[in-house]
Each structure stands twice: as C-alpha cells, then as structure tokens.
Amino acid sequence: MSATFPTPSIVESLAKSEIQAIPKEYVRPQEELNGIGNIFEEEKKDEGPQVPTIDLKEIDSKDKELREKCHQELKKAAMEWGVMHLVNHGISDELIDRVKVVE
C-alpha cells in the first residue's frame, strides 16, 4: 500500500519559495483596494452579522471528531459567507506583514 500526499497549492508553493515580491496576478488594483474596508475592524463591531472566525488548530487533528468539527465549521463559513477570518493557520506573521504592504 503506497501513501498518497496532497499536491501543494500554488499559494503554498509560493510561500515556501521565499519569493521577495508577490506576483502581480495576486495583487488587487489600488482603486479596488480603496473601496475595501478593513474586515478585521468591521468584525469587531457589535451590530449586524459577524464574519465567522474559524480556528484551524484542529484541522489535522488525530482525533476524528475534532478534525470533522473543524472541517464542518470551515465548510459552513465557506457556503454561508464565502469569506471567513482564519486563525491558527500556520502562516507566519512575517509573511502576512509582507503581503499587507505589497504594492
């Protein structure tokens, strides 16, 4: 029986490549960025529905129940919202900061 391993996504491959600049196809035009609010600030407001926060800590858990619960929360957020705030995803703060300042 041979083990199969998932193929890394393009984003995973880019993250591991130590690139110095974000490829332009991943960068939104400035005029589009000007119209986007800060989703993290919006999430802190008490009024109206809130963007779901999904904790990915258990996404690869050996405990099937914990893993399935995480998968279901992620699926629900994707299906109902199409967007979510992910925490404990394993992406370094340094990479996130580099993405935030890309021009």
Side-chain angles (χ1 to χ4, degrees):
M1 181 189 265
S2 64
T4 59
F5 299 97
T7 304
S9 71
I10 294 171
V11 174
E12 288 173 313
S13 298
L14 286 172
K16 291 177 182 175
S17 74
E18 299 183 25
I19 61 172
Q20 297 301 309
I22 305 299
K24 63 182 173 183
E25 60 265 22
Y26 292 100
V27 180
R28 293 180 178 211
Q30 188 60 48
E31 58 274 4
E32 187 178 328
L33 292 173
N34 292 339
I36 297 175
N38 184 332
I39 193 167
F40 302 111
E41 290 303 317
E42 294 293 321
E43 185 179 272
K44 294 176 187 174
K45 293 181 180 177
D46 290 331
E47 65 221 35
Q50 303 296 303
V51 171
T53 297
I54 308 298
D55 188 341
L56 296 179
K57 180 174 67 175
E58 305 295 348
I59 194 90
D60 291 329
S61 174
K62 292 181 194 261
D63 182 320
K64 186 177 178 180
E65 278 186 37
L66 290 175
R67 188 175 63 244
E68 185 61 27
K69 181 178 182 237
C70 185
H71 288 187
Q72 289 304 315
E73 289 174 357
L74 185 59
K75 181 179 177 179
K76 181 179 179 187
M79 292 178 74
E80 292 180 7
W81 284 80
V83 66
M84 69 231 40
H85 178 192
L86 301 175
V87 296
N88 293 318
H89 42 65
I91 300 172
S92 71
D93 289 341
E94 185 269 332
L95 179 58
I96 291 171
D97 290 341
R98 284 177 39 208
V99 169
K100 286 180 181 178
V101 298
V102 71
E103 292 184 24

XYZ file of all heavy atoms in Angstrom:
820
model
N 0.856 -1.172 0.000
C 0.000 0.000 0.000
C 0.905 1.240 0.000
O 1.751 1.396 0.858
C -0.880 -0.030 1.250
C -1.815 1.138 1.332
S -2.647 1.224 2.933
C -4.132 0.368 2.549
N 0.751 2.082 -0.967
C 1.584 3.280 -1.033
C 0.812 4.483 -0.509
O -0.395 4.587 -0.685
C 2.047 3.529 -2.468
O 0.943 3.805 -3.285
N 1.536 5.380 0.127
C 0.922 6.593 0.676
C 0.762 7.624 -0.428
O 1.595 7.726 -1.317
C 1.791 7.154 1.794
N -0.323 8.350 -0.375
C -0.517 9.457 -1.314
C -0.456 10.753 -0.527
O -0.942 10.846 0.588
C -1.865 9.355 -2.043
O -2.915 9.373 -1.083
C -1.941 8.096 -2.878
N 0.161 11.736 -1.120
C 0.314 13.023 -0.478
C -0.363 14.077 -1.333
O -0.268 14.040 -2.560
C 1.802 13.365 -0.304
C 2.535 12.385 0.556
C 3.270 11.345 -0.005
C 2.461 12.478 1.931
C 3.919 10.430 0.787
C 3.115 11.559 2.743
C 3.849 10.532 2.168
N -1.046 15.028 -0.674
C -1.714 16.072 -1.458
C -0.699 16.947 -2.177
O 0.392 17.180 -1.679
C -2.501 16.867 -0.417
C -1.886 16.526 0.895
C -1.230 15.184 0.745
N -1.052 17.377 -3.361
C -0.204 18.294 -4.110
C -0.315 19.675 -3.477
O -1.420 20.146 -3.227
C -0.674 18.367 -5.582
O -0.680 17.043 -6.111
C 0.221 19.258 -6.402
N 0.826 20.325 -3.201
C 0.744 21.663 -2.594
C 0.036 22.647 -3.524
O 0.186 22.579 -4.743
C 2.195 22.078 -2.402
C 3.039 20.929 -2.809
C 2.178 19.909 -3.459
N -0.734 23.542 -2.932
C -1.407 24.566 -3.727
C -0.374 25.566 -4.239
O 0.765 25.604 -3.766
C -2.448 25.293 -2.881
O -1.804 26.114 -1.933
N -0.790 26.375 -5.186
C 0.103 27.409 -5.719
C 0.534 28.348 -4.603
O 1.700 28.718 -4.505
C -0.584 28.174 -6.866
C -0.807 27.243 -8.056
C 0.232 29.395 -7.284
C -1.658 27.822 -9.163
N -0.411 28.717 -3.729
C -0.089 29.633 -2.631
C 0.927 28.995 -1.688
O 1.891 29.636 -1.277
C -1.368 30.058 -1.876
C -1.034 30.889 -0.657
C -2.284 30.829 -2.809
N 0.735 27.709 -1.359
C 1.704 27.017 -0.500
C 3.083 26.995 -1.148
O 4.092 27.228 -0.487
C 1.256 25.580 -0.224
C 0.083 25.467 0.715
C -0.427 24.043 0.819
O -0.608 23.388 -0.231
O -0.624 23.593 1.959
N 3.127 26.710 -2.437
C 4.398 26.676 -3.160
C 5.077 28.042 -3.146
O 6.291 28.140 -2.938
C 4.180 26.225 -4.607
O 3.665 24.930 -4.648
N 4.290 29.095 -3.350
C 4.852 30.447 -3.307
C 5.381 30.784 -1.917
O 6.460 31.362 -1.774
C 3.795 31.481 -3.721
C 3.458 31.553 -5.199
C 2.262 32.464 -5.421
C 4.647 32.025 -6.007
N 4.635 30.409 -0.884
C 5.045 30.710 0.488
C 6.370 30.035 0.819
O 7.216 30.612 1.502
C 3.964 30.276 1.473
N 6.569 28.825 0.326
C 7.801 28.080 0.604
C 8.970 28.514 -0.275
O 10.107 28.188 0.011
C 7.548 26.585 0.431
C 6.636 26.021 1.491
C 6.353 24.558 1.250
C 5.387 24.040 2.307
N 4.997 22.652 2.055
N 8.694 29.239 -1.335
C 9.740 29.599 -2.296
C 10.607 30.773 -1.856
O 11.596 31.070 -2.497
C 9.114 29.934 -3.644
O 8.471 31.199 -3.595
N 10.217 31.440 -0.768
C 10.939 32.618 -0.265
C 10.998 33.733 -1.301
O 11.983 34.457 -1.410
C 12.330 32.238 0.217
C 12.305 31.243 1.367
C 13.667 30.892 1.910
O 14.601 31.704 1.764
O 13.786 29.807 2.486
N 9.929 33.890 -2.069
C 9.873 34.972 -3.050
C 9.989 36.319 -2.338
O 9.647 36.445 -1.170
C 8.581 34.918 -3.890
C 7.347 35.069 -2.992
C 8.525 33.676 -4.731
C 6.048 35.213 -3.763
N 10.461 37.308 -3.044
C 10.642 38.631 -2.458
C 9.519 39.591 -2.818
O 9.387 40.645 -2.218
C 11.987 39.221 -2.906
C 13.174 38.414 -2.430
C 13.226 38.302 -0.913
O 13.148 39.294 -0.208
N 13.346 37.081 -0.409
N 8.715 39.241 -3.808
C 7.600 40.096 -4.221
C 6.407 39.211 -4.561
O 6.581 38.098 -5.063
C 7.992 40.937 -5.436
N 5.230 39.714 -4.282
C 4.005 38.982 -4.594
C 3.743 39.090 -6.100
O 3.761 40.189 -6.649
C 2.804 39.568 -3.811
C 3.085 39.590 -2.303
C 1.522 38.810 -4.139
C 3.332 38.240 -1.681
N 3.507 37.974 -6.778
C 3.206 38.041 -8.218
C 2.009 38.952 -8.488
O 1.035 38.949 -7.741
C 2.882 36.587 -8.586
C 3.589 35.770 -7.549
C 3.524 36.590 -6.290
N 2.094 39.744 -9.556
C 1.075 40.764 -9.810
C -0.325 40.199 -9.986
O -1.296 40.875 -9.709
C 1.465 41.665 -10.971
C 1.593 40.981 -12.293
C 2.041 41.974 -13.355
C 2.331 41.232 -14.643
N 2.819 42.115 -15.663
N -0.459 38.934 -10.395
C -1.801 38.378 -10.536
C -2.500 38.173 -9.197
O -3.703 37.955 -9.140
C -1.798 37.070 -11.347
C -0.979 35.969 -10.751
C 0.440 35.896 -11.311
O 0.948 36.898 -11.832
O 1.040 34.825 -11.207
N -1.751 38.273 -8.090
C -2.337 38.152 -6.758
C -2.589 39.510 -6.101
O -3.062 39.580 -4.982
C -1.424 37.326 -5.838
C -1.349 35.883 -6.239
C -0.278 35.400 -6.971
C -2.355 34.996 -5.893
C -0.211 34.069 -7.351
C -2.299 33.668 -6.263
C -1.218 33.216 -6.994
O -1.162 31.900 -7.362
N -2.262 40.582 -6.773
C -2.387 41.923 -6.202
C -3.584 42.624 -6.812
O -3.715 42.716 -8.034
C -1.097 42.741 -6.455
C -1.224 44.137 -5.859
C 0.109 42.017 -5.884
N -4.470 43.132 -5.951
C -5.642 43.867 -6.436
C -5.229 45.274 -6.850
O -4.359 45.875 -6.222
C -6.694 43.969 -5.339
C -7.289 42.646 -4.988
C -8.321 42.807 -3.906
N -8.912 41.521 -3.629
C -10.150 41.356 -3.231
N -10.925 42.384 -3.035
N -10.615 40.157 -3.011
N -5.882 45.824 -7.872
C -5.579 47.201 -8.274
C -5.897 48.171 -7.134
O -6.817 47.948 -6.343
C -6.516 47.445 -9.463
C -6.990 46.100 -9.888
C -6.893 45.203 -8.707
N -5.145 49.273 -7.053
C -5.301 50.240 -5.968
C -6.721 50.776 -5.876
O -7.267 50.914 -4.787
C -4.310 51.399 -6.115
C -4.287 52.321 -4.914
C -3.885 51.602 -3.631
O -2.918 50.868 -3.597
N -4.643 51.817 -2.567
N -7.371 51.044 -7.021
C -8.732 51.567 -6.976
C -9.697 50.569 -6.347
O -10.644 50.945 -5.664
C -9.237 52.010 -8.354
C -9.243 50.951 -9.428
C -7.920 50.798 -10.186
O -6.926 51.455 -9.852
O -7.896 49.994 -11.126
N -9.439 49.295 -6.522
C -10.269 48.276 -5.881
C -9.985 48.223 -4.378
O -10.894 48.093 -3.559
C -10.006 46.912 -6.513
C -10.927 45.831 -6.025
C -10.678 44.492 -6.708
O -10.273 44.477 -7.889
O -10.901 43.471 -6.042
N -8.721 48.345 -4.024
C -8.345 48.321 -2.604
C -8.936 49.498 -1.842
O -9.300 49.364 -0.675
C -6.819 48.324 -2.452
C -6.106 47.064 -2.913
C -4.598 47.271 -2.868
C -6.514 45.877 -2.072
N -9.053 50.655 -2.501
C -9.594 51.837 -1.835
C -11.039 51.628 -1.394
O -11.488 52.228 -0.424
C -9.509 53.059 -2.755
C -8.084 53.494 -2.989
O -7.188 53.182 -2.215
N -7.854 54.200 -4.075
N -11.773 50.763 -2.097
C -13.170 50.530 -1.772
C -13.392 49.406 -0.771
O -14.518 49.133 -0.380
N -12.330 48.743 -0.355
C -12.464 47.621 0.577
C -12.224 48.126 1.997
O -11.199 48.740 2.278
C -11.448 46.509 0.252
C -11.717 45.937 -1.141
C -11.491 45.404 1.299
C -10.686 44.930 -1.588
N -13.160 47.842 2.883
C -12.973 48.202 4.283
C -12.044 47.221 4.973
O -11.681 46.192 4.418
N -11.666 47.534 6.183
C -10.834 46.638 6.966
C -11.742 45.597 7.610
O -12.441 45.886 8.580
C -10.050 47.420 8.023
C -9.101 46.532 8.795
O -9.319 45.332 8.957
N -8.028 47.125 9.280
N -11.721 44.382 7.087
C -12.629 43.339 7.557
C -12.413 43.018 9.028
O -13.336 42.675 9.750
C -12.511 42.064 6.684
C -13.668 41.124 6.973
C -11.182 41.383 6.890
C -13.807 40.018 5.974
N -11.180 43.166 9.513
C -10.900 42.856 10.910
C -11.496 43.920 11.833
O -11.969 43.608 12.912
C -9.401 42.680 11.129
C -8.838 41.586 10.259
C -7.982 41.878 9.227
C -9.218 40.269 10.453
C -7.494 40.874 8.412
C -8.736 39.254 9.638
C -7.864 39.560 8.617
N -11.502 45.167 11.392
C -12.140 46.226 12.171
C -13.652 46.067 12.115
O -14.342 46.244 13.113
C -11.722 47.606 11.660
C -10.279 47.952 11.956
C -9.942 47.903 13.437
O -10.740 48.398 14.270
O -8.870 47.354 13.775
N -14.173 45.727 10.952
C -15.615 45.512 10.802
C -16.082 44.371 11.698
O -17.164 44.411 12.255
C -15.967 45.205 9.344
C -15.736 46.350 8.387
C -16.680 47.511 8.639
O -17.859 47.271 8.930
O -16.227 48.666 8.557
N -15.241 43.350 11.828
C -15.601 42.172 12.615
C -15.785 42.520 14.099
O -16.539 41.875 14.810
C -14.502 41.113 12.454
C -14.813 39.814 13.134
C -13.712 38.803 12.921
O -13.759 38.081 11.922
O -12.807 38.739 13.765
N -15.090 43.566 14.569
C -15.151 43.946 15.983
C -16.459 44.657 16.340
O -16.802 44.766 17.505
C -13.965 44.850 16.337
C -12.636 44.134 16.253
C -11.507 45.101 16.526
C -10.165 44.445 16.288
N -9.067 45.390 16.414
N -17.183 45.136 15.340
C -18.430 45.846 15.606
C -19.482 44.873 16.114
O -19.524 43.714 15.719
C -18.929 46.541 14.335
C -18.023 47.666 13.876
C -18.593 48.313 12.642
C -17.689 49.452 12.185
N -18.169 50.053 10.952
N -20.346 45.359 16.997
C -21.372 44.513 17.590
C -22.648 44.430 16.759
O -23.445 43.537 16.939
C -21.732 45.018 18.998
C -20.596 44.780 19.984
O -19.834 43.825 19.787
O -20.500 45.550 20.946
N -22.850 45.363 15.845
C -24.100 45.392 15.099
C -24.064 44.447 13.892
O -23.050 44.261 13.263
C -24.396 46.813 14.622
C -23.366 47.301 13.633
C -22.952 48.731 13.821
O -22.887 49.213 14.943
O -22.687 49.360 12.800
N -25.187 43.841 13.606
C -25.330 43.011 12.419
C -24.561 41.712 12.476
O -23.887 41.400 13.447
N -24.668 40.937 11.413
C -23.980 39.641 11.366
C -22.462 39.820 11.343
O -21.958 40.817 10.828
C -24.480 39.017 10.070
C -25.152 40.076 9.304
C -25.438 41.213 10.232
N -21.768 38.862 11.903
C -20.317 38.933 12.001
C -19.668 37.906 11.077
O -20.152 36.779 10.951
C -19.868 38.654 13.440
C -20.467 39.579 14.475
C -20.038 41.012 14.283
O -18.854 41.302 14.274
N -20.986 41.906 14.124
N -18.566 38.296 10.442
C -17.793 37.360 9.638
C -17.316 36.254 10.579
O -16.767 36.536 11.638
C -16.585 38.068 8.984
C -15.656 37.069 8.320
C -17.056 39.125 8.001
N -17.541 34.992 10.221
C -17.146 33.915 11.128
C -15.629 33.804 11.278
O -14.889 33.993 10.314
C -17.715 32.654 10.474
C -18.035 33.022 9.075
C -18.197 34.500 9.016
N -15.189 33.522 12.486
C -13.789 33.250 12.768
C -13.649 31.743 12.908
O -14.339 31.123 13.707
C -13.328 33.953 14.057
O -13.437 35.365 13.864
C -11.894 33.605 14.401
N -12.778 31.164 12.114
C -12.572 29.720 12.114
C -11.176 29.419 12.650
O -10.181 29.914 12.129
C -12.719 29.126 10.689
C -14.022 29.553 10.040
C -12.556 27.608 10.723
C -15.273 29.106 10.756
N -11.119 28.608 13.707
C -9.856 28.193 14.308
C -9.414 26.901 13.634
O -10.079 25.871 13.738
C -10.046 27.978 15.811
C -8.736 27.738 16.540
O -7.726 27.385 15.881
O -8.726 27.881 17.770
N -8.288 26.949 12.931
C -7.799 25.791 12.187
C -6.865 24.901 13.006
O -6.258 23.981 12.461
C -7.087 26.248 10.911
C -7.958 26.956 9.887
C -7.124 27.366 8.677
C -9.123 26.090 9.461
N -6.768 25.165 14.289
C -5.846 24.412 15.146
C -6.053 22.902 15.031
O -5.106 22.134 15.034
C -6.003 24.872 16.595
C -5.111 24.160 17.585
C -5.212 24.772 18.959
C -6.591 24.517 19.520
N -6.749 24.970 20.895
N -7.290 22.465 14.891
C -7.597 21.026 14.876
C -7.813 20.465 13.469
O -8.257 19.322 13.327
C -8.835 20.750 15.730
C -8.748 21.248 17.150
C -7.686 20.553 17.997
O -7.139 19.519 17.568
O -7.398 21.056 19.088
N -7.468 21.223 12.433
C -7.755 20.790 11.066
C -7.055 19.469 10.714
O -7.565 18.689 9.921
C -7.396 21.889 10.026
C -7.997 21.577 8.655
C -5.902 22.083 9.883
C -9.345 22.133 8.447
N -5.909 19.196 11.318
C -5.171 17.958 11.066
C -5.098 17.073 12.310
O -4.211 16.236 12.431
C -3.753 18.263 10.589
C -3.724 18.868 9.195
O -4.610 18.533 8.389
O -2.822 19.668 8.910
N -6.024 17.266 13.233
C -6.012 16.515 14.490
C -6.102 15.013 14.242
O -6.753 14.560 13.300
C -7.198 16.962 15.361
O -7.283 16.165 16.513
N -5.467 14.258 15.102
C -5.592 12.794 15.038
C -6.962 12.364 15.559
O -7.425 11.270 15.261
C -4.491 12.141 15.855
C -3.113 12.360 15.240
C -2.049 11.677 16.057
C -0.693 12.161 15.680
N 0.099 11.450 14.844
N -7.598 13.246 16.332
C -8.939 12.981 16.851
C -9.955 13.269 15.741
O -10.150 14.414 15.326
C -9.202 13.873 18.061
C -10.559 13.635 18.703
O -11.550 13.436 17.965
O -10.623 13.675 19.944
N -10.609 12.226 15.270
C -11.530 12.357 14.141
C -12.661 13.343 14.420
O -13.051 14.114 13.545
C -12.104 10.982 13.775
C -12.949 11.004 12.536
C -13.446 9.622 12.158
C -14.324 9.705 10.930
N -14.822 8.410 10.522
N -13.198 13.344 15.637
C -14.302 14.265 15.971
C -13.858 15.720 15.903
O -14.574 16.570 15.364
C -14.850 13.952 17.364
C -15.833 12.815 17.380
C -16.475 12.634 18.752
O -16.752 13.653 19.432
O -16.706 11.479 19.131
N -12.686 16.030 16.468
C -12.174 17.407 16.436
C -11.896 17.842 14.997
O -12.229 18.954 14.597
C -10.900 17.531 17.269
C -11.057 17.421 18.772
C -9.697 17.435 19.452
C -11.931 18.542 19.309
N -11.278 16.939 14.232
C -10.964 17.239 12.836
C -12.243 17.486 12.036
O -12.356 18.462 11.294
C -10.151 16.082 12.250
C -9.600 16.336 10.875
C -8.700 15.206 10.390
N -9.427 13.946 10.269
C -9.181 12.853 10.992
N -8.219 12.849 11.898
N -9.889 11.747 10.810
N -13.239 16.643 12.212
C -14.505 16.780 11.488
C -15.230 18.062 11.882
O -15.806 18.742 11.037
C -15.392 15.560 11.736
C -16.669 15.561 10.935
C -16.476 15.554 9.429
O -15.443 15.055 8.937
O -17.365 16.066 8.728
N -15.199 18.412 13.173
C -15.831 19.653 13.631
C -15.197 20.859 12.945
O -15.886 21.764 12.474
C -15.708 19.780 15.151
C -16.368 21.030 15.694
C -16.263 21.093 17.207
C -16.986 22.329 17.700
N -16.144 23.205 18.461
N -13.878 20.861 12.865
C -13.161 21.961 12.203
C -13.540 22.012 10.725
O -13.822 23.085 10.183
C -11.659 21.783 12.383
S -10.686 23.147 11.743
N -13.572 20.867 10.069
C -13.940 20.807 8.651
C -15.357 21.339 8.435
O -15.605 22.079 7.474
C -13.847 19.377 8.129
C -12.446 18.876 7.975
N -12.146 17.677 7.401
C -11.249 19.405 8.342
C -10.839 17.482 7.404
N -10.282 18.519 7.982
N -16.286 20.964 9.319
C -17.675 21.402 9.179
C -17.812 22.913 9.383
O -18.571 23.576 8.671
C -18.592 20.635 10.144
C -18.795 19.185 9.763
C -19.322 19.013 8.346
O -20.243 19.700 7.916
N -18.716 18.094 7.603
N -17.079 23.472 10.361
C -17.118 24.923 10.588
C -16.578 25.662 9.366
O -17.134 26.679 8.948
C -16.310 25.291 11.828
C -16.955 24.857 13.123
C -16.070 25.111 14.338
O -14.913 25.578 14.188
O -16.544 24.829 15.454
N -15.505 25.154 8.802
C -14.906 25.759 7.617
C -15.865 25.676 6.428
O -16.094 26.660 5.722
C -13.581 25.057 7.299
C -12.739 25.604 6.174
C -12.348 27.052 6.434
C -11.484 24.756 6.005
N -16.453 24.529 6.235
C -17.409 24.331 5.134
C -18.623 25.246 5.290
O -19.060 25.880 4.328
C -17.850 22.869 5.099
C -18.814 22.545 3.987
C -19.175 21.061 4.007
C -20.196 20.734 2.941
N -20.530 19.299 2.952
N -19.157 25.324 6.510
C -20.328 26.173 6.764
C -20.021 27.639 6.454
O -20.803 28.334 5.799
C -20.779 26.017 8.213
C -22.000 26.845 8.552
C -22.422 26.646 9.984
C -23.638 27.524 10.268
N -24.018 27.536 11.652
N -18.869 28.120 6.930
C -18.483 29.512 6.677
C -18.320 29.766 5.182
O -18.763 30.791 4.671
C -17.193 29.851 7.425
N -17.700 28.817 4.490
C -17.497 28.983 3.045
C -18.825 29.000 2.300
O -19.027 29.816 1.398
C -16.603 27.860 2.520
N -19.732 28.124 2.692
C -21.012 28.031 1.986
C -21.951 29.189 2.323
O -22.639 29.710 1.455
C -21.681 26.694 2.297
C -20.930 25.506 1.699
S -21.669 23.933 2.086
C -23.105 23.988 1.014
N -21.965 29.607 3.596
C -22.905 30.648 4.017
C -22.367 32.056 3.818
O -23.132 32.988 3.599
C -23.294 30.431 5.479
C -24.120 29.180 5.691
C -24.510 28.948 7.141
O -24.259 29.839 7.989
O -25.070 27.873 7.419
N -21.052 32.230 3.947
C -20.468 33.556 3.871
C -19.583 33.759 2.641
O -19.502 34.854 2.123
C -19.627 33.835 5.125
C -20.445 34.155 6.321
C -21.087 33.276 7.147
C -20.728 35.447 6.818
N -21.732 33.953 8.140
C -21.528 35.290 7.968
C -20.363 36.725 6.425
C -21.977 36.371 8.709
C -20.814 37.798 7.169
C -21.614 37.608 8.295
N -18.837 32.723 2.281
C -17.872 32.865 1.188
C -16.594 33.550 1.637
O -15.675 33.739 0.845
N -16.542 33.916 2.903
C -15.378 34.576 3.479
C -15.335 34.227 4.956
O -16.369 33.953 5.574
C -15.440 36.112 3.273
C -16.593 36.724 4.045
C -14.132 36.785 3.643
N -14.144 34.207 5.530
C -14.015 33.931 6.956
C -12.678 34.460 7.455
O -11.787 34.727 6.653
C -14.131 32.427 7.233
C -12.957 31.650 6.725
S -13.228 30.196 5.696
C -14.503 30.535 4.606
N -12.585 34.635 8.749
C -11.333 35.038 9.396
C -10.720 33.760 9.947
O -11.295 33.128 10.827
C -11.629 36.045 10.506
C -10.421 36.486 11.248
N -10.503 37.187 12.411
C -9.096 36.328 11.021
C -9.289 37.436 12.868
N -8.433 36.918 12.025
N -9.559 33.358 9.406
C -8.902 32.128 9.840
C -7.841 32.431 10.886
O -7.046 33.357 10.722
C -8.254 31.425 8.643
C -9.185 31.028 7.511
C -8.392 30.447 6.344
C -10.243 30.053 7.985
N -7.837 31.644 11.956
C -6.800 31.754 12.984
C -6.133 30.390 13.147
O -6.703 29.361 12.793
C -7.366 32.265 14.339
C -7.909 33.678 14.195
C -8.450 31.339 14.875
N -4.919 30.410 13.671
C -4.111 29.195 13.846
C -3.945 28.439 12.526
O -4.025 27.230 12.474
C -4.715 28.286 14.927
C -4.640 28.924 16.289
O -3.633 29.522 16.639
N -5.711 28.818 17.045
N -3.642 29.204 11.460
C -3.496 28.641 10.121
C -2.070 28.252 9.795
O -1.831 27.575 8.804
C -4.004 29.621 9.066
C -3.591 31.021 9.337
N -2.287 31.438 9.319
C -4.344 32.092 9.680
C -2.248 32.725 9.620
N -3.486 33.144 9.847
N -1.121 28.683 10.605
C 0.273 28.306 10.372
C 1.040 29.236 9.449
O 2.215 29.000 9.176
N 0.396 30.291 8.950
C 1.103 31.252 8.097
C 1.804 32.251 9.009
O 1.188 32.829 9.892
C 0.129 31.964 7.140
C -0.563 30.941 6.239
C 0.866 33.015 6.308
C -1.679 31.503 5.399
N 3.081 32.446 8.778
C 3.869 33.300 9.670
C 3.407 34.754 9.618
O 2.949 35.245 8.579
C 5.352 33.227 9.296
O 5.590 33.899 8.076
N 3.552 35.442 10.760
C 3.222 36.873 10.822
C 4.081 37.655 9.832
O 3.616 38.625 9.235
C 3.435 37.422 12.234
C 2.395 36.913 13.209
O 1.328 36.437 12.759
O 2.648 36.980 14.422
N 5.315 37.212 9.650
C 6.230 37.906 8.737
C 5.687 37.867 7.307
O 5.674 38.871 6.609
C 7.620 37.243 8.813
C 8.692 37.954 8.003
C 8.798 37.406 6.580
O 8.478 36.222 6.352
O 9.190 38.178 5.688
N 5.195 36.711 6.870
C 4.629 36.609 5.528
C 3.354 37.433 5.408
O 3.146 38.130 4.415
C 4.358 35.146 5.163
C 3.746 34.913 3.777
C 4.629 35.490 2.673
C 3.502 33.430 3.551
N 2.519 37.394 6.422
C 1.287 38.197 6.404
C 1.627 39.673 6.300
O 1.020 40.408 5.521
C 0.425 37.897 7.652
C -0.129 36.468 7.564
C -0.707 38.919 7.788
C -0.799 35.982 8.820
N 2.618 40.133 7.072
C 3.031 41.538 7.003
C 3.549 41.888 5.615
O 3.267 42.969 5.092
C 4.101 41.836 8.058
C 3.547 41.807 9.472
O 2.307 41.908 9.638
O 4.346 41.678 10.419
N 4.311 40.972 4.995
C 4.820 41.231 3.631
C 3.669 41.349 2.642
O 3.712 42.187 1.739
C 5.763 40.111 3.201
C 7.124 40.200 3.863
C 8.074 39.077 3.530
N 8.036 38.629 2.163
C 8.339 37.389 1.785
N 8.682 36.475 2.683
N 8.302 37.045 0.514
N 2.646 40.535 2.788
C 1.502 40.582 1.886
C 0.739 41.897 2.065
O 0.298 42.500 1.098
C 0.570 39.369 2.107
C -0.737 39.538 1.377
C 1.270 38.080 1.685
N 0.606 42.349 3.307
C -0.155 43.579 3.587
C 0.483 44.813 2.972
O -0.209 45.761 2.621
C -0.294 43.795 5.086
C -1.293 42.859 5.722
C -1.391 43.114 7.215
C -2.365 42.190 7.888
N -2.400 42.426 9.343
N 1.800 44.831 2.832
C 2.482 46.038 2.326
C 2.805 45.978 0.848
O 3.404 46.890 0.317
C 3.771 46.344 3.123
C 3.471 46.614 4.581
C 4.805 45.236 2.980
N 2.404 44.918 0.164
C 2.721 44.789 -1.259
C 2.083 45.921 -2.059
O 1.000 46.385 -1.758
C 2.269 43.410 -1.795
C 0.771 43.321 -1.872
C 2.888 43.141 -3.150
N 2.802 46.373 -3.038
C 2.287 47.434 -3.913
C 2.225 46.949 -5.329
O 2.944 46.219 -5.828
C 3.193 48.659 -3.830
C 3.082 49.295 -2.461
C 3.900 50.575 -2.377
O 4.165 51.196 -3.410
O 4.261 50.928 -1.280
